[in-house]
């Protein structure tokens, strides 16, 4: 029997996230979009009320939530502001390799001090010449005595330069291609690691995205996750688990656009009646609402499968891809319903449309998601 009834705990945390978005995020979202900065006070408050590090088990200082409950939270926070949700989402992304491949000693060493404070983490895979082709990274990690020495340059890194903990993918054996990639934990204060150029973005502007430069960064051998050569698989398994969270954020953005469009359509009078009285508008709203519901269904199914321990590479890619496309189309339609006002920064929907675009690009472009889905179908 399939049930869409949330548990009491899920309802409670949804309520917590929804009221947090209404109280702490929505009132400042436009300001931080303009300033292109992380609202650090919101990070502190989110940490205080238990809305960060959702997937980290309670014994290591996190919230111990399953992916479905995490998706419920992400939808609510992204409803408030995609960039602010993305700042927190980057923690889930960066900590997942440690949760998947870390030893109990590594988890005990790194997670409790990280989770004890409102700190950020960064997942460092992408490089200037290795985006969709993640296996083409050239950052190197050379063993030397009891240490690895890491050199390279990462780009488009959420929380890059402002994180306390970095998960860095680097080649330990370039001759072995994808099987020569390894994953490392690098504390943010390690000499040689620094943030580079901070990007100026179209949307998602309350998140901090920057280059990360690694120059002779020395980490002890204990900071290697899994074995040498496990890095690519760890990255792929991580993305399988986090892409539905991107889908959930997309549902939040799309739901916000739909609700803003409904409100506006009921208020805006043209030709002597609210524009909501026109079938042309009603049909648009109906399509928008169907897409939001369908996207949430895919997101929840992918999360549920992963929470059951079932393989869900295909469903995870479907959830991310479909929901991101929905966010783009629903926010575009919301701008259309607002007409000229929709294009103006004074109204909320132009930000939603600018924000939505990144959902089709990060954590694997929607073309890469279709490639993953296609490969799984033909396997
Ligand atoms: N789970 C486990 N293992 C997997 C896997 C998965 N989901 N997907 C692939 N692998 C394994 C394969 O089994 C294979 O191993 P074997 O050789 O032992 O069989 C190995 O990994 C190589 O797989 P492929 O041959 O499929 O590799 P590929 O080079 O053809 O490409 C790809 C794979 C799917 C295109 C991958 O490169 C990819 O996902 N690219 C997109 C990268 C991406 O999403 N980047 C986002 C960065 S994070 C971000 O955006 C963060 C931010 O700050 C917001």
């Amino acid at each position: 029997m399939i049930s869409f009834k949330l548990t009491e705990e899920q309802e409670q945390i949804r309520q917590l996230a929804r009221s947090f978005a209404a109280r702490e995020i929505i009132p400042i979202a436009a300001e931080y979009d303009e300033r292109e900065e992380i609202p650090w006070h919101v990070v502190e408050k989110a940490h205080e009320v238990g809305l960060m590090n959702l997937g980290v088990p309670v014994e290591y200082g996190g919230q111990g939530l399953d992916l479905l409950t995490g998706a419920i939270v992400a939808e609510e926070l992204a409803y408030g502001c995609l960039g602010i949700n993305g700042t927190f989402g980057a923690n889930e992304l960066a900590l997942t390799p440690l949760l998947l491949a870390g030893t109990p000693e590594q988890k005990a060493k790194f997670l409790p001090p990280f989770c004890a404070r409102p700190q950020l983490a960064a997942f460092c895979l992408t490089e200037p010449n290795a985006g969709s082709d993640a296996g083409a990274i050239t950052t190197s990690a050379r063993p030397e005595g009891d240490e690895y020495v890491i050199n390279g340059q990462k780009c488009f890194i959420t929380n890059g330069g402002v994180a306390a903990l970095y998960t860095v993918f680097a080649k330990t054996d370039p001759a072995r291609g994808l099987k020569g990639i390894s994953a490392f934990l690098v504390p943010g204060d390690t000499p040689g690691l620094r943030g580079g150029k901070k990007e100026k973005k179209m949307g998602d502007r309350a998140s901090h995205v920057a280059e990360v430069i690694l120059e002779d960064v020395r980490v002890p051998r204990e900071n290697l996750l899994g074995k040498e050569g496990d890095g690519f698989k760890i990255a792929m398994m991580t993305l399988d688990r986090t892409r539905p969270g991107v889908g959930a954020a997309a549902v939040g953005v799309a739901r916000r656009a739909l609700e803003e469009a409904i409100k506006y359509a009921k208020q805006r009078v043209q030709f002597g009646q609210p524009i909501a009285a026109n079938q042309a508008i009603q049909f648009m709203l109906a399509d928008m609402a169907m897409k939001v519901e369908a996207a949430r269904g895919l997101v929840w199914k992918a999360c549920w499968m992963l929470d059951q321990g079932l393989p869900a590479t295909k469903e995870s890619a479907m959830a991310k891809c479909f929901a991101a496309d929905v966010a783009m189309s629903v926010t575009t339609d919301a701008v259309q319903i607002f007409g000229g006002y929709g294009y103006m920064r004074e109204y909320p929907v132009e930000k939603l449309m600018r924000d939505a675009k990144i959902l089709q690009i990060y954590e694997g472009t929607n073309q890469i998601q279709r490639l993953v889905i296609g490969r799984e179908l033909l396997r």
Side-chain angles (χ1 to χ4, degrees):
M1 181 70 179
I2 293 171
S3 166
F4 286 96
K5 188 171 161 32
L6 300 182
T7 65
E8 206 172 306
E9 191 202 3
Q10 285 168 333
E11 278 296 356
Q12 274 171 7
I13 190 143
R14 169 146 82 176
Q15 221 31 62
L16 173 72
R18 190 169 285 184
S19 61
F20 186 85
R23 205 176 53 248
E24 308 292 348
I25 297 182
I26 292 174
I28 54 98
E31 179 193 341
Y32 281 84
D33 174 62
E34 286 286 334
R35 286 168 59 168
E36 302 193 47
E37 280 172 17
I38 295 175
W40 283 99
H41 67 285
V42 176
V43 177
E44 281 163 20
K45 283 182 187 159
H47 184 263
E48 195 182 301
V49 301
L51 288 173
M52 282 182 73
N53 307 318
L54 305 176
V56 175
V58 175
E59 64 265 35
Y60 295 122
Q63 304 306 321
L65 301 182
D66 59 14
L67 290 174
L68 178 51
T69 313
I72 291 166
V73 172
E75 177 181 331
E76 297 305 328
L77 299 182
Y79 178 100
C81 176
L82 182 69
I84 295 173
N85 177 68
T87 301
F88 305 144
N91 275 25
E92 309 298 329
L93 177 63
L95 299 179
T96 298
L98 171 56
L99 294 173
L100 283 175
T103 60
E105 292 73 27
Q106 286 173 322
K107 290 177 192 172
K109 179 175 172 194
F110 287 98
L111 290 170
F114 177 82
C115 294
R117 289 193 294 281
Q119 305 190 102
L120 302 179
F123 180 84
C124 300
L125 176 64
T126 303
E127 297 182 3
N129 294 314
S132 292
D133 186 4
I137 59 169
T138 56
T139 293
S140 64
R142 186 182 77 245
E144 209 179 279
D146 290 342
E147 296 176 325
Y148 285 95
V149 185
I150 307 175
N151 278 286
Q153 185 185 343
K154 300 288 177 178
C155 69
F156 304 151
I157 305 301
T158 304
N159 298 339
V162 296
L165 187 60
Y166 293 77
T167 306
V168 176
F169 295 86
K171 285 216 165 129
T172 36
D173 188 351
R176 295 194 68 216
L178 300 178
K179 291 195 165 54
I181 296 175
S182 304
F184 299 90
L185 294 167
V186 184
D189 58 3
T190 310
L193 183 152
R194 63 183 167 87
K197 180 177 65 127
K198 181 189 167 194
E199 302 296 345
K200 290 173 83 67
K201 302 185 253 82
M202 169 196 276
D204 191 43
R205 297 202 303 195
S207 76
H208 181 106
V209 171
E211 294 171 334
V212 172
I213 319 285
L214 302 124
E215 281 170 350
D216 288 332
V217 172
R218 290 178 174 272
V219 290
R221 278 185 182 257
E222 305 92 84
N223 289 25
L224 172 71
L225 287 172
K227 299 189 302 298
E228 271 192 20
D230 285 351
F232 193 76
K233 280 209 170 155
I234 293 172
M236 293 300 115
M237 288 163 67
T238 294
L239 291 165
D240 278 352
R241 296 185 68 76
T242 57
R243 283 175 177 157
V246 175
V251 173
V253 170
R255 194 185 100 217
R256 174 79 183 279
L258 171 65
E259 289 179 15
E260 296 288 350
I262 291 171
K263 203 162 62 186
Y264 185 79
K266 285 166 136 176
Q267 285 165 2
R268 173 72 170 164
V269 174
Q270 288 291 277
F271 304 106
Q273 60 178 0
I275 61 169
N278 300 317
Q279 256 189 8
I281 299 291
Q282 290 170 14
F283 285 6
M284 282 175 86
L285 293 172
D287 284 338
M288 290 156 78
M290 281 193 278
K291 287 176 185 174
V292 171
E293 288 289 327
R296 187 185 295 110
L298 272 181
V299 168
W300 283 15
K301 182 180 175 193
C303 290
W304 178 85
M305 288 178 73
L306 289 160
D307 286 336
Q308 304 304 307
L310 299 169
T313 298
K314 178 170 93 254
E315 289 74 13
S316 163
M318 285 178 169
K320 189 272 182 189
C321 185
F322 186 80
D325 284 348
V326 161
M328 196 67 247
S329 91
V330 169
T331 55
T332 305
D333 284 349
V335 169
Q336 193 67 22
I337 289 172
F338 271 71
Y341 292 107
Y343 202 70
M344 303 305 158
R345 290 212 189 159
E346 205 178 323
Y347 289 81
V349 286
E350 65 84 34
K351 173 180 181 293
L352 296 173
M353 186 176 163
R354 285 187 286 107
D355 285 350
K357 188 62 206 168
I358 193 59
L359 293 158
Q360 294 178 308
I361 297 172
Y362 64 17
E363 292 205 30
T365 63
N366 276 11
Q367 287 66 35
I368 288 294
Q369 307 308 323
R370 288 181 167 89
L371 183 132
V372 169
I373 296 163
R375 283 184 183 179
E376 291 291 317
L377 290 173
L378 297 170
R379 190 185 281 278

